[in-house]
Amino acid sequence: MLLSRRILDSFGLQGEAVPLEGGQNTSVKVQDAVLKPSENVRHDEWVLGIMHELQPHGYRISRPIPGRNGSFVSDGWTCSRFEPGREVQGDLEQKLRVARLFHRDLAGIPYDGFSEPDHPWSRGHRIAWQTKALPSGFPVPVRDFLAGLLGKAKRSGEYTVQLIHGDLAGNILFDEELGPLIIDFSPTVAPESYAEAILVCDGIAWQGCPLSGLGLLPDDDHYREMLLRAVIFRLSVSAMFCGDDTERFFAEAEAFGPIIEHLASFSC
């Protein structure tokens, strides 16, 4: 992938850009830095500013590199320090421990300036929290299925909310010598328990973890509600990408079936 000399110079870099796998396959490595296209400049400036000031305890982050002009987005690109690490499937217990350390450090950060971008994942969060209706364009069987889940989602009380990472399962990397690495901060404002529920649901549905992984979370109405909202979030996003392909949607929903069946025995 070719990046203009102006973009590289703006971050003080030189050399060849090497494509990196993972995520949306849009990131490249140049020297000891990773560059990624920005889809929302205002949002990225705000998020990367937080990550630049964060002081991690018990884990690592890829520290954002500001451009020569002091901004974090230059000609549509962002830049962060490259950190070694590899994805590990499963290992929910260790990932939950890292997630809790990260959210402890995020808990005190004000989120008044947070502007959630309008993409499928942010829309999925809003559907899961019932602040946005199911899109009328969803096929009827998909709408009925998701509406049935939403009908079971009852508030278990008032919540303490904060900035959370809404996509941790595949974004905690491990290294034999260094501490765990958190990448691709995908922020939303919600209870910390919701982030934990997404992490556990993703591990069970996508990474081969046993259903018993649910036992890593407290067995109470609040966490059962968070698990249900986590499933609704993932399947709402899936519905957006599947479009009219109902067969594909229900194939993807099947991965979350054991969690849904488990929750069906409770009043959420």
Side-chain angles (χ1 to χ4, degrees):
M1 181 178 295
L2 294 176
L3 294 179
S4 70
R5 172 56 54 191
R6 183 174 67 179
I7 293 173
L8 295 180
D9 285 346
S10 71
F11 292 111
L13 300 172
Q14 58 182 348
E16 181 183 0
V18 180
L20 295 175
E21 295 182 359
Q24 299 180 46
N25 295 317
T26 56
S27 299
V28 297
K29 182 176 181 291
V30 179
Q31 294 180 276
D32 60 349
V34 175
L35 290 94
K36 180 179 178 181
S38 171
E39 297 180 356
N40 186 311
V41 173
R42 178 185 173 191
H43 176 75
D44 287 343
E45 287 284 357
W46 190 82
V47 171
L48 293 174
I50 288 174
M51 298 303 287
H52 188 259
E53 299 299 324
L54 193 69
Q55 299 300 315
H57 297 89
Y59 61 94
R60 294 176 291 139
I61 59 172
S62 296
R63 186 77 65 186
I65 300 173
R68 294 187 187 276
N69 64 356
S71 65
F72 292 103
V73 181
S74 179
D75 283 341
W77 288 80
T78 66
C79 184
S80 297
R81 187 70 56 195
F82 175 78
E83 292 282 348
R86 62 181 179 86
E87 183 178 354
V88 173
Q89 298 290 296
D91 203 354
L92 287 178
E93 188 168 5
Q94 187 171 3
K95 288 180 179 178
L96 275 171
R97 181 184 63 80
V98 177
R100 286 164 180 163
L101 291 174
F102 182 55
H103 288 126
R104 177 200 62 192
D105 291 341
L106 288 178
I109 295 178
Y111 51 83
D112 294 345
F114 176 65
S115 175
E116 194 162 36
D118 187 30
H119 51 49
W121 295 273
S122 62
R123 295 196 291 273
H125 287 308
R126 292 194 286 271
I127 290 171
W129 283 97
Q130 297 165 294
T131 61
K132 178 180 175 66
L134 286 170
S136 59
F138 283 179
V140 172
V142 174
R143 278 181 56 86
D144 289 347
F145 181 83
L146 291 172
L149 294 179
L150 284 163
K152 299 175 183 178
K154 311 297 183 185
R155 291 183 69 95
S156 58
E158 296 303 316
Y159 318 118
T160 299
V161 298
Q162 64 167 84
L163 281 176
I164 64 165
H165 193 319
D167 189 21
L168 276 168
N171 288 316
I172 300 176
L173 309 184
F174 296 92
D175 184 85
E176 293 181 358
E177 298 181 359
L178 303 172
L181 173 68
I182 293 177
I183 62 171
D184 289 345
F185 182 30
S186 302
T188 191
V189 176
E192 177 187 355
S193 50
Y194 176 61
E196 295 177 6
I198 295 172
L199 170 58
V200 170
C201 286
D202 289 355
I204 293 171
W206 294 339
Q207 297 189 348
C209 297
L211 186 63
S212 60
L214 295 176
L216 294 171
L217 301 177
D219 184 20
D220 58 30
D221 288 346
H222 174 74
Y223 270 87
R224 286 191 286 270
E225 179 196 346
M226 295 302 111
L227 288 166
L228 180 57
R229 294 192 189 277
V231 171
I232 294 169
F233 158 63
R234 282 303 187 200
L235 294 184
S236 296
V237 174
S238 176
M240 293 178 215
F241 283 107
C242 289
D244 293 332
D245 191 344
T246 57
E247 184 175 348
R248 177 185 164 195
F249 170 81
F250 283 106
E252 294 187 11
E254 187 176 355
F256 292 88
I259 302 171
I260 296 171
E261 291 177 12
H262 173 80
L263 294 174
S265 60
F266 300 96
S267 176
C268 296

